[in-house]
Amino acid sequence: MVKLIATDMDGTLLNAAHEVSQENIEAIQYAQSRGVTVTIATGRAFYEANDPIKPTGLKVPYICLNGAEVRDESFDIVHTSSLNHELYQRIRNVLVRENIYYQIYTNFGIYTEDPERDLAIYLDIAKYSGQQPDVEKIRQHINHRIEIGTLKVVNNYDNIESVTGELIMKVLAHDTDLDKIARVKAELSESSNLAVSSSSKGNLEITHIDAQKGLALCAIAEKLGIDMKDTMAIGDNLNDKSMLDRAGIAVAMDNALPELKENATFVTASNEESGVAKAIYRVLGENN
């Protein structure tokens, strides 16, 4: 019986408007009422992941930044994994050489040199998911993040490592040249200390090798005394693969990449059709 469920956010739990449907909310609540732990596993930082969850009233653990940070239901940090100076400089040198835009995710916030490029990343994710995003709504969301200080606009990233207590958790790179992205991914993947995944064809999510959704899911299962055969993971893109590979039941969204669908236990509906809810009801025996 499934006792632990992990769901991705973008392209999975969230629709194109970056909202959680009422059907998904009710399904998670139903799972929790059955004693099942539901955790969100995302490439987002906690301060942006919690934004669309807060209005739902759901209380769940978070696997953030692809596993670089794990928080319990009370939002307390229980695990972190960061990139040291040598690893960050290795990443930076490759991206600068290839003229690829990137953001830096830290435990204090997200740094960008150009908010318009942030918008492009969101639009890129929607494009490769076959969805039509609300551009103005996304732009308002970006401006809100700037206003509250979770998205920090800087001229350059030179001083980030000098801030006391600030840790670089993830680097998110983006470019419309997919051949360039593939070339950089191959080069950075040669490092045994880096995990390189993506949430869209046009981006790269680079973390420490210990920061992977699958590893974080295993750690949560172990802490709860749950066998991995009693876990279910739901996702749509490559940064979800590590947890789908390890979960007892691997669920791919209808809008997921073909390679995830091919290796999934089953394929659920798309994120526009509350596919997460349908997967939860299916494994818990409800015909909703």
Side-chain angles (χ1 to χ4, degrees):
M1 174 185 170
V2 169
K3 300 176 182 178
L4 173 61
I5 297 172
T7 174
D8 171 51
M9 288 192 75
D10 294 283
T12 303
L13 182 63
L14 303 182
N15 57 28
H18 291 233
E19 298 169 341
V20 185
S21 71
Q22 187 60 35
E23 187 178 354
N24 280 344
I25 295 170
E26 291 173 359
I28 291 173
Q29 291 171 333
Y30 172 73
Q32 292 173 328
S33 74
R34 293 276 300 269
V36 178
T37 298
V38 180
T39 183
I40 286 174
T42 178
R44 294 184 180 213
F46 172 74
Y47 28 80
E48 58 177 357
N50 191 45
D51 226 24
I53 303 302
K54 189 184 301 183
T56 70
L58 293 170
K59 297 295 183 183
V60 296
Y62 284 84
I63 296 171
C64 298
L65 300 170
N66 292 337
E69 181 180 275
V70 179
R71 298 190 182 223
D72 62 21
E73 293 92 336
S74 299
F75 305 155
D76 292 328
I77 298 173
V78 296
H79 170 76
T80 60
S81 179
S82 59
L83 296 164
N84 62 24
H85 175 75
E86 180 186 352
L87 288 174
Y88 167 63
Q89 289 301 321
R90 187 180 307 170
I91 297 165
R92 177 183 179 278
N93 290 341
V94 173
L95 297 179
V96 170
R97 185 193 72 212
E98 295 285 350
N99 192 30
I100 293 178
Y101 166 77
Y102 67 98
Q103 302 170 328
I104 296 178
Y105 286 61
T106 79
N107 54 326
F108 290 170
I110 302 170
Y111 291 85
T112 179
E113 294 175 335
D114 184 356
E116 283 299 309
R117 298 294 295 270
D118 289 52
L119 176 63
I121 291 174
Y122 280 112
L123 298 181
D124 187 66
I125 291 173
K127 170 187 173 182
Y128 288 112
S129 297
Q131 299 168 349
Q132 292 296 324
D134 186 329
V135 177
E136 187 54 37
K137 196 166 189 176
I138 294 174
R139 192 186 300 277
Q140 289 174 1
H141 175 63
I142 291 173
N143 289 336
H144 171 68
R145 289 163 60 206
I146 293 173
E147 289 172 5
I148 64 176
T150 57
L151 181 63
K152 305 174 187 295
V153 182
V154 294
N155 292 327
N156 58 66
Y157 302 137
D158 294 348
N159 297 322
I160 292 176
E161 288 188 288
S162 64
V163 179
T164 302
E166 189 153 28
L167 303 173
I168 296 178
M169 315 286 278
K170 185 180 84 167
V171 174
L172 174 63
H174 176 263
D175 202 285
T176 56
D177 186 335
L178 299 185
D179 289 336
K180 186 192 292 186
I181 286 290
R183 183 169 65 248
V184 168
K185 180 179 181 179
E187 180 174 350
L188 291 176
S189 295
E190 292 177 359
S191 172
S192 59
N193 292 316
L194 293 177
V196 187
S197 61
S198 63
S199 54
S200 173
K201 288 184 179 179
N203 73 34
L204 296 176
E205 300 194 353
I206 310 157
T207 59
H208 191 278
I209 192 65
D210 293 337
Q212 299 183 56
K213 291 184 181 183
L215 296 178
L217 179 60
C218 288
I220 290 175
E222 182 178 3
K223 182 178 181 181
L224 295 174
I226 296 173
D227 194 293
M228 285 303 292
K229 67 180 177 59
D230 296 323
T231 66
M232 177 171 79
I234 314 170
D236 73 308
N237 223 302
L238 291 180
N239 64 339
D240 303 315
K241 188 176 184 299
S242 66
M243 67 176 182
L244 266 64
D245 286 346
R246 291 171 170 81
I249 299 176
V251 182
M253 303 297 291
D254 188 53
N255 52 286
L257 293 177
E259 63 191 270
L260 265 64
K261 290 183 177 181
E262 290 169 5
N263 297 302
T265 307
F266 66 86
V267 176
T268 188
S270 74
N271 63 319
E272 291 298 303
E273 302 166 309
S274 300
V276 168
K278 291 176 173 60
I280 289 174
Y281 289 133
R282 175 170 171 171
V283 299
L284 296 182
E286 288 292 309
N287 296 316
N288 291 19

